[in-house]
């Protein structure tokens, strides 16, 4: 199965903002991102999923419209809670410079394992994405259920989510240490294709 992971569009969050669960309005019309993203997607797909975040759902709706799905609304788009961005807890929505350094310095030294106050560690996000991908492998329960219900193989699935989940998946598939997850760019609206066996 070809899995297309797409990052949501850019938001108006000020530069240097720590945000995962906080939602900011989109910076540009969602159609702009949908237009540029669409050219990297297959001509057809079998299944579509989104993070529950409004910024992801808006792009999902715009992309489905480009695939000629009539009257798509956010409530009709299938979502999966595991696709959420990392939960930064007490830091979420704040500027990094506003967060006490006595909290951020220890976390930055081991962001993979250290939890944010009231939030997650990167390992929590990794666990979520591993669980998600395992469910959609050839012998995964969600994939088997989907194929049985639809009476056809699942060949292409599109997922709109966030940079954190995408980075976790890319590290797993590329064999990259999770400590290096943020060294490669995952731009707004970018498409990342993985082959799931």
């Amino acid at each position: 199965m070809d899995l297309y992971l797409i990052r949501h569009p850019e938001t108006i969050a000020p530069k240097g903002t720590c945000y995962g669960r906080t939602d900011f309005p989109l910076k540009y019309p969602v159609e702009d991102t949908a237009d540029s993203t669409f050219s990297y997607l297959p001509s057809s797909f079998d299944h579509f999923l989104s993070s529950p975040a409004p910024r992801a759902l808006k792009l999902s709706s715009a992309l489905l419209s480009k695939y000629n799905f009539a009257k798509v609304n956010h409530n009709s788009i299938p979502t999966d809670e595991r696709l959420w961005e990392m939960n930064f807890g007490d830091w979420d929505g704040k500027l990094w410079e506003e967060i006490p350094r006595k909290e951020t310095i220890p976390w930055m030294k081991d962001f993979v394992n250290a939890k944010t106050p009231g939030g997650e560690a990167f390992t929590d996000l990794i666990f979520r994405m591993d669980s998600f991908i395992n469910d959609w492998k050839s012998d995964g329960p969600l994939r088997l259920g989907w194929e049985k219900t639809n009476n056809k193989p699942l060949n292409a699935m599109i997922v709109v989510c966030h940079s954190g989940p995408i980075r976790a998946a890319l590290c797993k598939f590329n064999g990259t240490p999770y400590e290096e997850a943020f060294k490669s760019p995952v731009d707004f609206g970018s498409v990342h294709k993985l082959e799931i066996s």
Side-chain angles (χ1 to χ4, degrees):
M1 174 186 73
D2 292 332
L3 174 64
Y4 296 84
L5 297 173
I6 307 169
R7 188 181 181 189
H8 64 80
E10 187 174 357
T11 71
I12 64 168
K15 190 173 182 180
T17 300
C18 170
Y19 73 103
R21 301 302 173 97
T22 303
D23 213 78
F24 291 90
L26 300 185
K27 189 171 185 178
Y28 307 106
V30 70
E31 292 78 16
D32 293 355
T33 304
D35 287 343
S36 59
T37 298
F38 192 68
S39 61
Y40 296 96
L41 296 176
S43 58
S44 64
F45 64 90
D46 299 304
H47 192 40
F48 195 108
L49 283 169
S50 177
S51 157
R55 58 190 185 270
L57 286 167
K58 287 172 185 172
L59 179 57
S60 297
S61 179
L63 287 173
L64 287 169
S65 294
K66 293 187 77 63
Y67 278 107
N68 294 319
F69 281 76
K71 297 181 179 178
V72 175
N73 65 63
H74 296 178
N75 295 329
S76 66
I77 298 171
T79 62
D80 191 312
E81 292 286 330
R82 294 173 294 184
L83 297 172
W84 268 107
E85 181 58 281
M86 185 169 157
N87 182 354
F88 288 97
D90 297 346
W91 300 351
D92 216 299
K94 296 180 180 177
L95 292 171
W96 282 104
E97 64 187 25
E98 295 174 344
I99 303 168
R101 288 175 59 81
K102 66 180 181 181
E103 294 180 8
T104 58
I105 289 175
W107 178 78
M108 287 180 179
K109 287 181 179 177
D110 187 19
F111 74 89
V112 174
N113 299 294
K115 287 183 181 290
T116 57
E120 294 180 299
F122 196 56
T123 47
D124 296 313
L125 188 151
I126 293 166
F127 178 81
R128 286 195 274 119
M129 279 307 288
D130 282 353
S131 170
F132 175 83
I133 289 169
N134 287 337
D135 274 349
W136 290 102
K137 285 184 175 179
S138 58
D139 60 350
L142 291 183
R143 182 163 172 182
L144 290 173
W146 188 95
E147 291 180 338
K148 183 177 180 181
T149 299
N150 292 277
N151 197 31
K152 66 176 184 176
L154 178 58
N155 294 315
M157 182 163 77
I158 296 174
V159 170
V160 179
C161 56
H162 310 267
S163 67
I166 293 172
R167 291 176 191 281
L170 291 176
C171 283
K172 182 180 181 69
F173 277 80
N174 297 332
T176 305
Y178 289 112
E179 290 77 9
E180 298 178 14
F182 291 88
K183 290 186 177 179
S184 299
V186 176
D187 298 328
F188 293 107
S190 58
V191 179
H192 307 266
K193 180 183 176 183
L194 300 175
E195 292 185 8
I196 309 292
S197 57

